Amino acid sequence: MDSEKILEEVKGILKKDIDKDEKLKHICELLVDDVEHYDWVGFYLVKKGRLVLGPYVGEPTEHTDIGFGEGICGQAADMEETFRVQDVTKEDNYLSCSVDVKSELVVPIFKYGEVVGELDIDSHEESPFTDEDERLIEDICEEVAEVL
Ligand code: SME
């Protein structure tokens, strides 16, 4: 994957004259298309203190409304830090979306020091996520914060 190119494309999407949800959806599409080990990509947005599913690409999920502390998404929001889980079978506090998912990367989106959302990546591979993935998704979340 070419992180620099992907980040530039994300910046281009965010500058477009389209609504916020369309921008987020385009970013999900870009990531699923460009990165082979990203199989489900979606945004959760904080509404009334809960993580509510926003634009995503991939299989529909039953986890559309997650409390802070619940699952990997909820833990990342609660701890205010990136969660990189290379093997979801080893994680007790995990909300399964599909048996195909083997690993997950969740990065909080901060605005004015508060978690306002997350970018969640599921992979069908075990241990696919590197420091480069983490940096790229964190950089994307910083850019996305501007439109939230
Ligand atoms: N696996 C997540 C739930 C969201 S789905 O991956 C789309 C979790 O444990 O929080």
Side-chain angles (χ1 to χ4, degrees), residues 12-20 22-23:
I13 291 169
L14 291 170
K15 278 192 206 124
K16 281 190 186 163
D17 189 18
I18 53 179
D19 77 37
K20 179 199 78 183
E22 274 183 273
K23 292 178 186 182

Side-chain angles (χ1 to χ4, degrees), residues 2-16 27 30-31 34 136 139-140 143:
D2 183 342
S3 291
E4 264 176 50
K5 182 168 158 275
I6 293 173
L7 188 60
E8 283 316 304
E9 287 184 34
V10 165
K11 288 179 185 170
I13 291 169
L14 291 170
K15 278 192 206 124
K16 281 190 186 163
I27 293 170
L30 170 75
L31 290 172
D34 280 19
L136 170 64
D139 287 348
I140 290 174
E143 296 296 328

Side-chain angles (χ1 to χ4, degrees), residues 40-42 44 51 53 56 59-64 66-67 70-76 88 91 93-98 101 103-104 106 118 120-122:
W40 189 98
V41 175
Y44 283 90
L51 294 160
L53 184 62
Y56 70 94
E59 293 282 303
T61 171
E62 59 184 293
H63 302 298
T64 55
I66 299 174
E70 293 172 16
I72 297 169
C73 290
Q75 291 181 80
V88 292
E91 174 64 54
N93 190 356
Y94 169 62
L95 303 169
S96 173
C97 288
S98 145
V101 174
S103 53
E104 180 159 357
V106 181
E118 287 181 346
D120 179 15
I121 318 272
D122 285 354

